[in-house]
Amino acid sequence: MKSEANVIQLYSRRVYEDIMTFIGKFESKHTQKNYERSIRNFFLWLHNVNKDIEYLSVDDLKVRNADMIRYQKYLKDHEAEYTNITINNYIAPIQSLYEFLEINEYPINSKHVKVDMLSDDSEHTGPLYLNEAEEMARIVHDDRKQGQEKSALIRTAYTTSFRKSSILSLEWDDIKKNPNAENYLVTTIGKGNKRHTMPISVDLYNELLKIKDQKYYHKYKDNKIFHLSNNTIQTMMNKLKEKMNISSDRNVKFHSFRNVAASFGTLEEAKKHLNHSNISTTETYYRHINEDYSNSISLRIEDKIDDSVLEQLTKQELIDLIMNQNNGTLAQLKREAQEYIQNKGEMNN
Protein backbone atom coordinates (compact mmCIF):
# COMPACT_ATOMS: atom_id res chain seq x y z
CA MET A 1 0.00 0.00 0.00
CA LYS A 2 2.84 2.38 0.88
CA SER A 3 4.51 1.71 -2.48
CA GLU A 4 1.24 2.36 -4.34
CA ALA A 5 0.75 5.64 -2.46
CA ASN A 6 4.26 6.70 -3.41
CA VAL A 7 3.56 5.94 -7.08
CA ILE A 8 0.37 8.03 -6.98
CA GLN A 9 2.19 10.89 -5.28
CA LEU A 10 5.05 10.73 -7.79
CA TYR A 11 2.60 10.62 -10.70
CA SER A 12 0.67 13.62 -9.37
CA ARG A 13 3.90 15.49 -8.84
CA ARG A 14 4.83 14.89 -12.47
CA VAL A 15 1.74 16.82 -13.62
CA TYR A 16 2.72 19.78 -11.45
CA GLU A 17 6.33 19.69 -12.61
CA ASP A 18 5.25 19.66 -16.26
CA ILE A 19 2.89 22.58 -15.67
CA MET A 20 5.72 24.55 -14.08
CA THR A 21 8.01 23.59 -16.98
CA PHE A 22 5.42 25.07 -19.34
CA ILE A 23 5.17 28.29 -17.27
CA GLY A 24 8.97 28.51 -17.06
CA LYS A 25 9.24 28.72 -20.86
CA PHE A 26 8.39 32.41 -20.66
CA GLU A 27 11.24 34.79 -19.94
CA SER A 28 9.08 37.49 -18.38
CA LYS A 29 8.47 36.99 -14.65
CA HIS A 30 5.28 39.01 -15.04
CA THR A 31 4.00 36.58 -17.70
CA GLN A 32 4.95 33.61 -15.54
CA LYS A 33 2.96 34.96 -12.59
CA ASN A 34 -0.08 35.73 -14.75
CA TYR A 35 -0.04 32.28 -16.35
CA GLU A 36 0.37 30.50 -13.03
CA ARG A 37 -2.49 32.48 -11.46
CA SER A 38 -4.80 31.78 -14.42
CA ILE A 39 -4.01 28.06 -14.37
CA ARG A 40 -4.43 27.75 -10.60
CA ASN A 41 -7.80 29.53 -10.67
CA PHE A 42 -9.07 27.34 -13.48
CA PHE A 43 -8.28 24.03 -11.77
CA LEU A 44 -9.74 25.26 -8.49
CA TRP A 45 -12.97 25.85 -10.40
CA LEU A 46 -12.97 22.83 -12.75
CA HIS A 47 -15.34 20.03 -11.71
CA ASN A 48 -15.19 21.42 -8.18
CA VAL A 49 -11.84 19.67 -7.94
CA ASN A 50 -10.70 22.36 -5.49
CA LYS A 51 -7.11 21.20 -5.73
CA ASP A 52 -3.93 23.17 -5.87
CA ILE A 53 -1.95 22.34 -9.01
CA GLU A 54 0.74 20.71 -6.85
CA TYR A 55 -1.64 17.77 -6.32
CA LEU A 56 -3.23 17.35 -9.75
CA SER A 57 -3.36 13.90 -11.30
CA VAL A 58 -3.79 13.11 -14.99
CA ASP A 59 -7.49 12.40 -14.40
CA ASP A 60 -7.91 15.94 -13.05
CA LEU A 61 -6.87 17.29 -16.45
CA LYS A 62 -9.93 15.91 -18.22
CA VAL A 63 -12.08 18.73 -19.55
CA ARG A 64 -14.96 19.06 -22.01
CA ASN A 65 -15.51 21.96 -24.35
CA ALA A 66 -18.75 22.65 -22.49
CA ASP A 67 -16.69 23.10 -19.33
CA MET A 68 -14.58 25.81 -20.96
CA ILE A 69 -17.68 27.63 -22.22
CA ARG A 70 -19.13 27.48 -18.70
CA TYR A 71 -15.88 28.80 -17.24
CA GLN A 72 -15.84 31.70 -19.68
CA LYS A 73 -19.45 32.49 -18.76
CA TYR A 74 -18.61 32.16 -15.06
CA LEU A 75 -15.86 34.78 -15.37
CA LYS A 76 -18.19 37.12 -17.23
CA ASP A 77 -21.17 36.71 -14.87
CA HIS A 78 -19.47 36.44 -11.48
CA GLU A 79 -16.54 38.81 -11.96
CA ALA A 80 -18.39 41.94 -13.03
CA GLU A 81 -15.25 44.10 -13.04
CA TYR A 82 -13.52 41.93 -15.67
CA THR A 83 -13.44 43.28 -19.19
CA ASN A 84 -13.65 40.87 -22.13
CA ILE A 85 -9.92 41.32 -22.67
CA THR A 86 -9.21 40.33 -19.06
CA ILE A 87 -11.33 37.19 -19.45
CA ASN A 88 -9.52 36.33 -22.70
CA ASN A 89 -6.22 36.76 -20.87
CA TYR A 90 -7.34 34.30 -18.18
CA ILE A 91 -8.36 31.66 -20.72
CA ALA A 92 -5.43 31.91 -23.15
CA PRO A 93 -2.89 30.36 -20.71
CA ILE A 94 -5.16 27.35 -20.21
CA GLN A 95 -5.41 26.78 -23.96
CA SER A 96 -1.64 27.05 -24.36
CA LEU A 97 -1.07 24.69 -21.44
CA TYR A 98 -3.28 21.97 -22.95
CA GLU A 99 -1.47 22.25 -26.28
CA PHE A 100 1.82 21.79 -24.41
CA LEU A 101 0.54 18.80 -22.43
CA GLU A 102 -0.89 17.14 -25.56
CA ILE A 103 2.45 17.49 -27.35
CA ASN A 104 4.02 15.84 -24.32
CA GLU A 105 1.79 12.77 -24.74
CA TYR A 106 -0.82 13.40 -22.07
CA PRO A 107 -4.13 11.64 -22.87
CA ILE A 108 -6.00 14.89 -23.55
CA ASN A 109 -7.31 16.77 -26.58
CA SER A 110 -6.33 20.44 -26.64
CA LYS A 111 -9.26 21.19 -28.96
CA HIS A 112 -11.58 20.66 -26.01
CA VAL A 113 -10.41 23.91 -24.41
CA LYS A 114 -10.84 26.03 -27.54
CA VAL A 115 -13.53 28.71 -27.20
CA ASP A 116 -14.26 31.84 -29.20
CA MET A 117 -12.46 34.82 -27.74
CA LEU A 118 -14.68 37.64 -26.50
CA SER A 119 -14.70 40.92 -28.43
CA ASP A 120 -12.31 43.69 -27.39
CA ASP A 121 -14.20 45.96 -25.01
CA SER A 122 -11.15 47.47 -23.31
CA GLU A 123 -11.98 50.93 -24.65
CA HIS A 124 -15.66 50.62 -23.84
CA THR A 125 -15.68 50.46 -20.05
CA GLY A 126 -17.52 53.72 -19.84
CA PRO A 127 -16.14 56.93 -18.32
CA LEU A 128 -17.50 58.32 -15.08
CA TYR A 129 -16.85 61.82 -13.80
CA LEU A 130 -16.35 63.17 -10.31
CA ASN A 131 -19.70 64.96 -10.03
CA GLU A 132 -21.48 61.75 -11.08
CA ALA A 133 -19.50 59.58 -8.68
CA GLU A 134 -20.21 61.98 -5.80
CA GLU A 135 -23.91 62.01 -6.69
CA MET A 136 -23.98 58.20 -6.67
CA ALA A 137 -22.47 58.14 -3.18
CA ARG A 138 -25.11 60.62 -1.99
CA ILE A 139 -28.00 58.68 -3.53
CA VAL A 140 -27.12 55.25 -2.12
CA HIS A 141 -26.45 56.73 1.33
CA ASP A 142 -30.22 56.94 1.78
CA ASP A 143 -30.76 53.28 0.89
CA ARG A 144 -32.71 51.53 3.64
CA LYS A 145 -30.44 48.50 3.39
CA GLN A 146 -26.66 48.95 3.79
CA GLY A 147 -26.80 52.58 2.61
CA GLN A 148 -23.81 53.73 4.68
CA GLU A 149 -21.71 50.79 3.49
CA LYS A 150 -22.63 51.30 -0.17
CA SER A 151 -21.87 55.02 0.00
CA ALA A 152 -18.50 54.43 1.66
CA LEU A 153 -17.70 51.73 -0.91
CA ILE A 154 -18.29 54.15 -3.80
CA ARG A 155 -16.24 56.91 -2.15
CA THR A 156 -13.40 54.48 -1.53
CA ALA A 157 -13.58 53.29 -5.14
CA TYR A 158 -13.37 56.67 -6.84
CA THR A 159 -10.90 58.10 -4.31
CA THR A 160 -8.34 55.29 -4.26
CA SER A 161 -9.02 53.78 -7.74
CA PHE A 162 -8.58 50.33 -6.19
CA ARG A 163 -10.23 47.52 -8.10
CA LYS A 164 -13.45 46.11 -6.71
CA SER A 165 -11.83 42.83 -5.67
CA SER A 166 -9.14 44.73 -3.76
CA ILE A 167 -11.67 46.93 -1.98
CA LEU A 168 -13.82 43.99 -0.95
CA SER A 169 -10.72 42.29 0.46
CA LEU A 170 -9.78 45.25 2.65
CA GLU A 171 -9.54 44.68 6.39
CA TRP A 172 -9.50 47.28 9.13
CA ASP A 173 -5.86 46.49 9.81
CA ASP A 174 -5.05 47.62 6.25
CA ILE A 175 -5.72 51.24 7.28
CA LYS A 176 -3.04 53.04 9.28
CA LYS A 177 -2.73 56.63 10.49
CA ASN A 178 -0.16 58.46 8.40
CA PRO A 179 2.59 59.47 10.86
CA ASN A 180 3.68 62.33 8.61
CA ALA A 181 0.36 63.96 7.72
CA GLU A 182 -3.27 64.38 8.70
CA ASN A 183 -4.63 61.48 6.68
CA TYR A 184 -4.78 57.69 6.67
CA LEU A 185 -2.93 55.17 4.49
CA VAL A 186 -4.80 52.24 2.94
CA THR A 187 -2.76 49.32 1.63
CA THR A 188 -4.00 46.52 -0.60
CA ILE A 189 -2.56 43.83 -2.84
CA GLY A 190 -3.62 44.70 -6.36
CA LYS A 191 -3.35 43.13 -9.79
CA GLY A 192 -0.19 41.09 -10.28
CA ASN A 193 0.21 40.80 -6.49
CA LYS A 194 1.54 44.36 -6.38
CA ARG A 195 1.37 46.15 -3.04
CA HIS A 196 -0.45 49.45 -3.43
CA THR A 197 -0.81 52.16 -0.76
CA MET A 198 -3.07 55.21 -1.14
CA PRO A 199 -3.86 58.03 1.31
CA ILE A 200 -7.47 58.80 2.22
CA SER A 201 -8.85 61.82 4.03
CA VAL A 202 -9.89 61.86 7.68
CA ASP A 203 -13.45 62.49 6.48
CA LEU A 204 -13.52 59.34 4.35
CA TYR A 205 -11.98 57.30 7.17
CA ASN A 206 -14.75 58.51 9.50
CA GLU A 207 -17.35 57.48 6.92
CA LEU A 208 -15.82 53.99 6.89
CA LEU A 209 -15.96 53.84 10.69
CA LYS A 210 -19.69 54.58 10.57
CA ILE A 211 -20.16 51.17 8.92
CA LYS A 212 -19.30 49.61 12.29
CA ASP A 213 -22.25 51.47 13.85
CA GLN A 214 -24.79 49.70 11.64
CA LYS A 215 -26.85 47.11 13.56
CA TYR A 216 -26.34 44.33 11.01
CA TYR A 217 -22.57 44.77 11.05
CA HIS A 218 -22.05 43.27 14.49
CA LYS A 219 -22.68 39.75 13.18
CA TYR A 220 -19.41 39.84 11.20
CA LYS A 221 -16.26 38.65 12.95
CA ASP A 222 -13.82 38.53 10.02
CA ASN A 223 -12.29 42.03 10.34
CA LYS A 224 -13.38 42.85 6.76
CA ILE A 225 -14.56 46.40 6.10
CA PHE A 226 -17.10 45.61 3.39
CA HIS A 227 -19.58 42.73 3.18
CA LEU A 228 -21.37 43.53 -0.08
CA SER A 229 -21.76 40.73 -2.63
CA ASN A 230 -21.04 41.14 -6.34
CA ASN A 231 -24.75 40.76 -7.05
CA THR A 232 -25.64 43.50 -4.54
CA ILE A 233 -23.08 45.84 -6.11
CA GLN A 234 -24.30 45.08 -9.63
CA THR A 235 -27.91 45.73 -8.60
CA MET A 236 -26.82 48.99 -6.95
CA MET A 237 -25.07 50.13 -10.14
CA ASN A 238 -28.08 49.26 -12.30
CA LYS A 239 -30.42 51.28 -10.07
CA LEU A 240 -28.04 54.25 -9.94
CA LYS A 241 -27.68 54.37 -13.73
CA GLU A 242 -31.46 54.24 -14.12
CA LYS A 243 -32.06 56.93 -11.49
CA MET A 244 -29.41 59.23 -12.98
CA ASN A 245 -30.50 58.59 -16.58
CA ILE A 246 -27.06 57.28 -17.55
CA SER A 247 -27.46 55.78 -21.01
CA SER A 248 -26.56 52.12 -21.51
CA ASP A 249 -24.44 53.28 -24.47
CA ARG A 250 -21.92 54.67 -21.99
CA ASN A 251 -21.39 51.17 -20.56
CA VAL A 252 -20.75 52.47 -17.05
CA LYS A 253 -19.66 49.73 -14.64
CA PHE A 254 -18.28 49.67 -11.12
CA HIS A 255 -14.85 49.56 -12.74
CA SER A 256 -15.64 53.01 -14.18
CA PHE A 257 -14.92 54.57 -10.78
CA ARG A 258 -11.24 54.05 -11.64
CA ASN A 259 -11.71 56.55 -14.49
CA VAL A 260 -12.55 59.37 -12.10
CA ALA A 261 -8.97 59.91 -10.96
CA ALA A 262 -7.68 60.10 -14.54
CA SER A 263 -8.99 63.67 -14.83
CA PHE A 264 -6.65 64.84 -12.04
CA GLY A 265 -2.95 65.47 -12.48
CA THR A 266 -0.54 64.46 -15.20
CA LEU A 267 -0.43 61.17 -17.10
CA GLU A 268 2.49 60.03 -14.94
CA GLU A 269 0.59 60.90 -11.75
CA ALA A 270 -2.44 58.97 -12.99
CA LYS A 271 -0.22 55.97 -13.83
CA LYS A 272 1.10 55.90 -10.25
CA HIS A 273 -2.36 56.42 -8.76
CA LEU A 274 -3.90 53.62 -10.83
CA ASN A 275 -0.94 51.33 -10.05
CA HIS A 276 -0.33 50.59 -13.72
CA SER A 277 2.88 48.89 -14.83
CA ASN A 278 2.62 50.26 -18.35
CA ILE A 279 1.71 53.86 -19.16
CA SER A 280 -0.09 52.71 -22.32
CA THR A 281 -2.72 51.17 -20.04
CA THR A 282 -3.14 54.52 -18.29
CA GLU A 283 -3.64 56.20 -21.66
CA THR A 284 -6.81 54.15 -22.23
CA TYR A 285 -8.25 55.84 -19.13
CA TYR A 286 -6.99 59.24 -20.24
CA ARG A 287 -8.78 58.98 -23.57
CA HIS A 288 -12.11 59.22 -21.75
CA ILE A 289 -11.33 62.58 -20.17
CA ASN A 290 -11.74 64.97 -23.04
CA GLU A 291 -13.24 63.78 -26.30
CA ASP A 292 -14.07 67.35 -27.39
CA TYR A 293 -11.93 67.98 -30.49
CA SER A 294 -12.52 71.73 -30.21
CA ASN A 295 -9.90 71.75 -27.45
CA SER A 296 -7.30 69.82 -29.46
CA ILE A 297 -3.69 71.03 -29.53
CA SER A 298 -3.78 71.34 -33.32
CA LEU A 299 -6.49 74.00 -33.00
CA ARG A 300 -5.18 75.74 -29.88
CA ILE A 301 -1.71 76.21 -31.39
CA GLU A 302 -3.20 78.43 -34.10
CA ASP A 303 -5.55 80.25 -31.74
CA LYS A 304 -3.84 83.58 -31.00
CA ILE A 305 -5.62 85.31 -28.11
CA ASP A 306 -4.14 88.31 -26.30
CA ASP A 307 -3.63 87.94 -22.53
CA SER A 308 -5.55 91.17 -21.96
CA VAL A 309 -8.82 89.37 -22.72
CA LEU A 310 -8.92 88.21 -19.08
CA GLU A 311 -8.78 91.81 -17.88
CA GLN A 312 -12.05 92.50 -19.71
CA LEU A 313 -13.96 90.04 -17.53
CA THR A 314 -15.75 91.00 -14.34
CA LYS A 315 -14.74 89.27 -11.12
CA GLN A 316 -17.84 87.02 -11.25
CA GLU A 317 -17.25 86.15 -14.92
CA LEU A 318 -13.66 85.20 -14.11
CA ILE A 319 -14.82 83.02 -11.20
CA ASP A 320 -17.41 81.33 -13.44
CA LEU A 321 -14.72 80.69 -16.06
CA ILE A 322 -12.44 79.09 -13.48
CA MET A 323 -15.19 76.93 -11.96
CA ASN A 324 -16.04 75.52 -15.39
CA GLN A 325 -12.56 74.06 -15.92
CA ASN A 326 -11.99 70.30 -15.76
CA ASN A 327 -11.41 68.77 -12.35
CA GLY A 328 -7.63 68.53 -12.64
CA THR A 329 -7.18 72.14 -13.75
CA LEU A 330 -9.62 73.39 -11.12
CA ALA A 331 -7.87 71.48 -8.34
CA GLN A 332 -4.50 72.92 -9.39
CA LEU A 333 -5.89 76.49 -9.51
CA LYS A 334 -7.37 76.07 -6.03
CA ARG A 335 -4.06 74.83 -4.64
CA GLU A 336 -2.18 77.77 -6.16
CA ALA A 337 -4.83 80.23 -4.90
CA GLN A 338 -4.45 78.78 -1.41
CA GLU A 339 -0.67 79.27 -1.62
CA TYR A 340 -1.16 82.90 -2.69
CA ILE A 341 -3.43 83.51 0.30
CA GLN A 342 -1.04 81.83 2.72
CA ASN A 343 1.95 83.75 1.36
CA LYS A 344 0.02 87.02 1.54
CA GLY A 345 -0.91 86.29 5.15
CA GLU A 346 2.71 85.59 6.09
CA MET A 347 3.87 88.83 4.45
CA ASN A 348 1.26 90.87 6.36
CA ASN A 349 2.42 89.32 9.60
Side-chain angles (χ1 to χ4, degrees):
M1 291 293 293
K2 184 176 180 181
S3 175
E4 183 179 345
N6 287 340
V7 170
I8 293 174
Q9 184 179 10
L10 183 64
Y11 198 63
S12 298
R13 194 71 185 174
R14 194 197 84 188
V15 175
Y16 169 67
E17 289 173 353
D18 285 347
I19 290 175
M20 296 309 294
T21 298
F22 163 73
I23 293 172
K25 291 195 311 174
F26 303 96
E27 292 184 5
S28 168
K29 294 294 183 184
H30 179 69
T31 300
Q32 290 178 10
K33 286 181 180 179
N34 286 342
Y35 268 53
E36 182 174 347
R37 182 175 65 249
S38 298
I39 291 167
R40 284 186 181 276
N41 289 342
F42 173 69
F43 283 111
L44 285 172
W45 173 89
L46 181 63
H47 303 316
N48 293 318
V49 167
N50 202 25
K51 282 185 181 179
D52 289 322
I53 59 175
E54 286 85 349
Y55 307 105
L56 290 175
S57 68
V58 173
D59 285 341
D60 294 327
L61 299 175
K62 292 179 180 177
V63 60
R64 302 174 306 149
N65 185 251
D67 296 325
M68 285 304 298
I69 294 173
R70 283 194 303 114
Y71 185 59
Q72 187 182 55
K73 188 174 187 303
Y74 166 81
L75 292 175
K76 195 167 183 63
D77 293 345
H78 294 271
E79 300 293 346
E81 69 177 281
Y82 288 170
T83 64
N84 286 354
I85 293 302
T86 300
I87 294 172
N88 290 344
N89 289 340
Y90 276 134
I91 288 179
I94 300 162
Q95 295 175 331
S96 296
L97 171 65
Y98 271 75
E99 290 174 356
F100 173 82
L101 294 176
E102 185 177 26
I103 291 172
N104 284 277
E105 300 181 342
Y106 277 79
I108 57 173
N109 189 336
S110 60
K111 290 182 179 179
H112 292 171
V113 297
K114 295 296 183 185
V115 291
D116 293 334
M117 292 291 100
L118 300 174
S119 60
D120 183 352
D121 65 348
S122 59
E123 294 185 12
H124 302 142
T125 300
L128 198 62
Y129 303 98
L130 179 60
N131 63 308
E132 295 173 320
E134 291 176 333
E135 180 66 13
M136 287 180 168
R138 283 193 292 268
I139 291 172
V140 298
H141 190 273
D142 296 330
D143 278 8
R144 185 172 54 85
K145 193 173 182 180
Q146 297 173 292
Q148 178 66 40
E149 188 173 351
K150 292 174 183 175
S151 179
L153 176 83
I154 289 175
R155 284 192 61 183
T156 302
Y158 73 71
T159 301
T160 64
S161 293
F162 289 162
R163 290 176 172 80
K164 182 180 67 174
S165 57
S166 296
I167 296 174
L168 294 180
S169 298
L170 284 175
E171 299 183 0
W172 291 106
D173 294 340
D174 295 325
I175 304 179
K176 307 290 185 185
K177 178 70 173 67
N178 187 346
N180 301 315
E182 286 300 312
N183 55 51
Y184 288 82
L185 301 177
V186 186
T187 300
T188 185
I189 304 300
K191 190 176 180 181
N193 291 321
K194 290 169 61 179
R195 188 180 177 86
H196 192 193
T197 298
M198 291 299 302
I200 62 171
S201 66
V202 174
D203 181 65
L204 176 52
Y205 179 65
N206 289 334
E207 286 299 306
L208 291 171
L209 288 179
K210 289 178 184 178
I211 299 173
K212 290 185 174 183
D213 297 332
Q214 310 305 305
K215 290 182 180 180
Y216 69 86
Y217 193 80
H218 300 295
K219 66 182 178 181
Y220 298 114
K221 308 296 181 184
D222 56 6
N223 201 38
K224 290 278 185 70
I225 298 176
F226 297 104
H227 295 86
L228 298 166
S229 68
N230 284 320
N231 287 337
T232 297
I233 294 171
Q234 187 61 50
T235 300
M236 174 189 75
M237 293 301 296
N238 291 341
K239 289 181 178 179
L240 283 170
K241 288 185 288 183
E242 181 179 358
K243 188 175 184 67
M244 295 174 64
N245 295 317
I246 295 177
S247 168
S248 59
D249 294 339
R250 283 180 57 182
N251 199 27
V252 168
K253 302 178 181 179
F254 188 87
H255 196 75
S256 299
F257 287 120
R258 279 172 61 80
N259 284 329
V260 173
S263 62
F264 291 83
T266 65
L267 185 60
E268 279 290 344
E269 287 174 325
K271 174 180 177 290
K272 182 178 180 181
H273 182 84
L274 293 165
N275 203 28
H276 286 156
S277 300
N278 193 323
I279 202 164
S280 63
T281 306
T282 313
E283 287 172 342
T284 65
Y285 288 76
Y286 240 62
R287 280 200 295 268
H288 294 309
I289 297 172
N290 190 355
E291 297 173 353
D292 182 5
Y293 290 112
S294 66
N295 196 40
S296 297
I297 290 175
S298 60
L299 297 178
R300 282 188 281 131
I301 201 170
E302 296 290 339
D303 198 2
K304 309 297 184 183
I305 302 176
D306 195 272
D307 292 344
S308 64
V309 69
L310 296 175
E311 298 174 2
Q312 300 175 37
L313 298 177
T314 66
K315 177 182 177 181
Q316 187 56 51
E317 288 171 339
L318 192 57
I319 291 173
D320 291 342
L321 177 65
I322 292 171
M323 295 304 294
N324 284 327
Q325 300 306 301
N326 66 52
N327 292 321
T329 302
L330 182 58
Q332 182 63 29
L333 287 170
K334 286 179 178 178
R335 282 194 294 270
E336 293 186 13
Q338 190 174 48
E339 288 179 11
Y340 274 121
I341 293 170
Q342 289 174 346
N343 292 335
K344 187 165 60 174
E346 290 173 0
M347 290 176 64
N348 291 335
N349 291 334

